[in-house]
Amino acid sequence: MIKQPAKSKVFTKESLQQIQDEMRVCCIKSYNKVYSEHSLLKQKKKGRNRDIDIKEMGDYREIKKQLKQKEQKLTEANKQTKTLDNKVLI
């Protein structure tokens, strides 16, 4: 797909809500049928889910970069710890 349309240009808030409600009903019906259950879904909580605009992400890329660096440092520290542990045991 060369271009992906924004959901806000394709759907309205009401149409998305209707689709999601229908999907919830279909999913629980299928689950109950497959597993011979009579389960109910938890009630939806208002305002719990929302899209995050890129402008609201702030330093996301920088934080992600820092996380990767810290994971590498942790991996290196763990290797050094194993090396020291092995030397002590010998």
Side-chain angles (χ1 to χ4, degrees):
M1 193 180 241
I2 295 172
K3 290 186 178 182
Q4 294 183 343
K7 73 178 181 184
S8 59
K9 292 182 180 179
V10 178
F11 299 104
T12 64
K13 186 176 180 179
E14 292 76 25
S15 67
L16 277 175
Q17 188 172 8
Q18 182 183 358
I19 291 168
Q20 290 170 346
D21 290 343
E22 289 175 18
M23 185 67 156
R24 289 173 56 84
V25 170
C26 289
C27 286
I28 196 64
K29 280 184 183 178
S30 294
Y31 174 86
N32 286 335
K33 183 178 180 182
V34 169
Y35 294 103
S36 300
E37 296 278 334
H38 300 288
S39 298
L40 299 174
L41 287 174
K42 293 180 182 178
Q43 293 296 316
K44 290 189 337 181
K45 293 182 180 179
K46 196 161 189 103
R48 197 179 89 206
N49 299 318
R50 67 179 185 88
D51 290 338
I52 298 174
D53 193 283
I54 293 173
K55 294 173 197 155
E56 294 177 29
M57 289 185 187
D59 298 330
Y60 174 75
R61 287 190 178 110
E62 181 61 31
I63 292 169
K64 194 171 179 180
K65 182 180 171 184
Q66 289 175 7
L67 175 64
K68 193 170 191 170
Q69 291 171 346
K70 290 180 192 256
E71 286 174 341
Q72 290 172 343
K73 285 183 180 181
L74 178 61
T75 301
E76 185 61 34
N78 285 336
K79 284 180 187 177
Q80 290 175 358
T81 301
K82 280 186 179 184
T83 302
L84 291 172
D85 286 346
N86 288 336
K87 286 181 181 178
V88 170
L89 294 174
I90 295 177

